[in-house]
């Protein structure tokens, strides 16, 4: 990619998360990093650029329409990396993935849509592998904490010669808001399943994103629904855990990483995610309510996403381009704790935590640092190319960047 005009292009920069990411890059990108903001409206791009201060004084803008493949191809050919916040990705993302895969341009997105990731891999993994492009899905709260925690536990066990991972569970404790763009992506996926019920079977498969489904271990059911005491998951943890709304996507990304690494986590690697609801007297009631609501939504969602149900969803859901205000974003936080037991019986824990709304303030950091890692870290990154995951594309380099940005990322042995 020598001779490219830019190191990084942020596409969808004027959207809600796009603007937050632009603000972060203006503060954090090393001096001399060649960055451009891209989107449909030159007026909005120029207005955003004027708000970013001295850190963006040398940045440029690119006008590109998601519906124009020629625009996307031209943009991809000008840069080392495209970072995109333009979703729903199933509706707008594939032409950009194709452009980057063909141009040998690295790519990072924020998708939480397993059907989109599956189509990316089926259509463009070999193209990207041949061109040298790293196509990296899910570089925000979906699914960097999940993916890096599992990867770093694998590395820690290997360093300690403690065997391989077996039963592994992430417990999410968080405070954060919901944006219209996230809701719109969820509704788009519901529409797809309503139109083709076979896609529901894809979503129900824990190994739906595997690069080689036939080589996956037969470990029985690995359901994403949960309702139990927290101590049953993490010995000594008080309170209750319940179904985590992001588990159905995150778990598939983590299992894809394990497979792309030639199942190095272990053939007995079972992975799940739950959400902590606290330890107050109301905690079990909240946990039961969340579990029941999400189970009902999974069962009935595709039926709702038709006709009058779809119109009602669109009417009551937050609108795309909206999200929590600055105070709410600053007051958010998350701690993702992953525990595993190895084949030698050793127990380990990884923690990934940060201050700031996980889906927006913290996601802007994770996406921004992913883009900078792909653009600037070169030989520090794994050599592999294709449709990848955060752990397989950026590994320790991304973890180091996020620690430097103020995130807590640790591993420890619990029974030493």
């Amino acid at each position: 990619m020598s001779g490219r005009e830019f190191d990084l292009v942020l596409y969808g920069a004027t959207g809600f998360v796009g603007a937050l990411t632009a603000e972060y890059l203006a503060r954090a990108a090393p001096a001399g990093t060649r960055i451009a903001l891209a989107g449909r409206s030159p007026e909005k791009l120029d207005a955003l650029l004027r708000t970013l201060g001295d850190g963006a004084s040398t940045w440029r803008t690119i006008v590109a329409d998601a519906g124009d493949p020629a625009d996307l191809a031209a943009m991809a050919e000008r840069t080392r990396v495209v970072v995109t916040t333009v979703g729903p990705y199933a509706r707008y993302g594939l032409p950009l993935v194709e452009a980057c895969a063909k141009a040998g341009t690295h790519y990072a997105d924020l998708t939480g849509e397993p059907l989109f990731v599956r189509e990316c891999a089926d259509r463009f993994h070999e193209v990207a592998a041949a061109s040298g492009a790293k196509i990296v899905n899910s570089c925000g709260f979906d699914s960097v904490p999940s993916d890096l925690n599992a990867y770093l536990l694998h590395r820690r066990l290997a360093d300690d010669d403690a065997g391989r991972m077996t039963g592994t569970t992430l417990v999410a404790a968080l405070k954060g808001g919901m944006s219209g763009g996230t809701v719109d992506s969820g509704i788009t996926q519901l529409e797809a399943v309503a139109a083709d019920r076979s896609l529901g079977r894809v979503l129900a498969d824990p190994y739906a994103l595997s690069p080689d489904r036939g080589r996956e271990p037969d470990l029985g059911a690995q359901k994403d629904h949960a309702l139990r005491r927290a101590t049953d998951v993490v010995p000594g943890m008080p309170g209750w855990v319940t179904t985590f709304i992001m588990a159905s996507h995150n778990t598939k990304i983590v299992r894809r990483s394990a497979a792309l690494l030639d199942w190095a986590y272990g053939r007995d690697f079972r992975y799940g995610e739950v959400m902590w609801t606290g330890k107050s007297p109301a905690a079990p009631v909240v946990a039961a309510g969340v579990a029941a609501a999400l189970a009902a939504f999974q069962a009935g969602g595709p039926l709702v996403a038709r006709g009058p149900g779809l119109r009602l969803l669109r009417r009551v859901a937050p609108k795309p381009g909206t999200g929590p205000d600055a105070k709410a974003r600053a007051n958010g936080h998350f701690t993702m704790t992953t525990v595993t037991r190895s084949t030698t019986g050793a127990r380990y824990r990884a923690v990934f935590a940060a201050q700031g709304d996980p889906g927006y303030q913290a996601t802007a950091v994770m996406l921004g640092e992913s883009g900078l890692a792909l653009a600037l870290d070169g030989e520090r990154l794994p050599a592999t190319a294709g449709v990848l995951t955060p752990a397989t594309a950026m590994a320790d380099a991304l973890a180091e960047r996020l620690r430097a940005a103020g995130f807590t990322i640790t591993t420890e042995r619990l029974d030493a």
Side-chain angles (χ1 to χ4, degrees):
M1 287 187 282
S2 60
R4 299 285 174 104
E5 183 179 358
F6 299 110
D7 297 309
L8 186 154
V9 168
L10 176 59
Y11 186 52
T14 61
F16 189 81
V17 179
L20 294 176
T21 307
E23 291 168 9
Y24 176 74
L25 288 170
R27 298 192 305 271
T33 307
R34 301 167 302 160
I35 294 176
L37 305 179
R40 288 184 302 173
S41 168
E43 294 80 14
K44 290 181 179 180
L45 290 168
D46 289 339
L48 174 62
L49 194 54
R50 288 193 294 270
T51 71
L52 297 179
D54 292 343
S57 61
T58 62
W59 293 11
R60 303 269 300 280
T61 62
I62 298 172
V63 177
D65 192 314
D68 188 333
D71 276 4
L72 301 178
M75 179 176 70
E77 289 167 0
R78 295 174 69 182
T79 184
R80 299 170 62 85
V81 178
V82 174
V83 170
T84 176
T85 65
V86 178
Y89 292 94
R91 187 182 303 156
Y92 300 117
L94 287 169
L96 180 55
V97 171
E98 180 176 17
C100 290
K102 289 181 175 178
T105 300
H106 302 324
Y107 161 104
D109 68 28
L110 290 174
T111 189
E113 306 164 52
L115 296 177
F116 170 73
V117 180
R118 181 69 269 166
E119 191 165 3
C120 284
D122 289 344
R123 294 178 57 181
F124 303 120
H125 179 75
E126 297 301 330
V127 176
S131 72
K134 297 179 188 291
I135 306 297
V136 194
N137 302 118
S138 305
C139 294
F141 191 54
D142 277 334
S143 303
V144 167
S146 306
D147 206 28
L148 284 186
N149 264 6
Y151 168 78
L152 292 171
L153 283 170
H154 150 66
R155 286 288 306 274
R156 178 64 185 270
L157 265 66
D159 289 346
D160 290 356
D161 195 23
R164 299 201 176 187
M165 298 161 73
T166 60
T168 305
T169 304
L170 178 146
V171 181
L174 63 145
K175 177 183 177 183
M178 181 73 71
S179 87
T182 299
V183 173
D184 196 31
S185 291
I187 293 173
T188 297
Q189 188 157 268
L190 286 177
E191 289 180 275
V193 175
D196 182 354
R197 297 307 296 269
S198 69
L199 297 178
R201 292 191 292 274
V202 176
L203 293 177
D205 182 358
Y207 299 106
L209 300 184
S210 175
D212 188 344
R213 183 65 181 84
R215 290 184 62 196
E216 293 293 351
D218 183 5
L219 300 176
Q222 297 187 68
K223 304 274 185 195
D224 293 318
H225 294 294
L227 176 60
R228 48 189 158 158
R229 291 184 181 276
T231 193
D232 294 339
V233 180
V234 181
M237 176 177 279
W240 288 74
V241 295
T242 188
T243 305
F244 182 33
I245 192 170
M246 295 163 59
S248 62
H249 181 72
N250 292 340
T251 55
K252 294 176 177 65
I253 290 290
V254 170
R255 293 186 192 106
R256 180 170 175 82
S257 291
L260 288 170
L261 293 169
D262 198 25
W263 291 271
Y265 295 1
R267 298 297 293 177
D268 296 318
F269 175 65
R270 291 177 58 91
Y271 182 75
E273 297 190 350
V274 297
M275 182 177 72
W276 189 62
T277 59
K279 57 183 179 179
S280 73
V285 178
V286 173
V290 170
L294 291 176
F297 185 74
Q298 183 181 42
L303 297 177
V304 174
R306 297 173 182 235
L310 177 59
R311 289 193 293 271
L312 178 61
L313 274 176
R314 295 284 187 199
R315 186 176 300 120
V316 302
K319 299 297 183 285
T322 65
D325 63 22
K327 182 178 180 180
R329 295 196 303 269
N331 288 336
H333 56 80
F334 68 93
T335 300
M336 313 290 269
T337 303
T338 307
V339 291
T340 191
R341 185 176 293 276
S342 79
T343 50
T344 65
R347 292 176 55 246
Y348 283 79
R349 173 171 58 203
V351 174
F352 189 113
Q355 183 65 34
D357 182 286
Y360 302 96
Q361 185 164 311
T363 279
V365 179
M366 288 184 269
L367 182 62
E369 292 295 349
S370 294
L372 292 172
L374 291 170
L376 304 178
D377 287 352
E379 293 183 358
R380 295 180 60 226
L381 303 179
T384 186
V387 175
L388 306 174
T389 60
T392 57
M394 296 171 284
D396 300 275
L398 180 57
E400 290 169 13
R401 282 185 165 275
L402 292 174
R403 289 188 187 105
F407 284 44
T408 297
I409 304 175
T410 63
T411 61
E412 62 177 327
R413 182 164 179 164
L414 298 178
D415 54 359

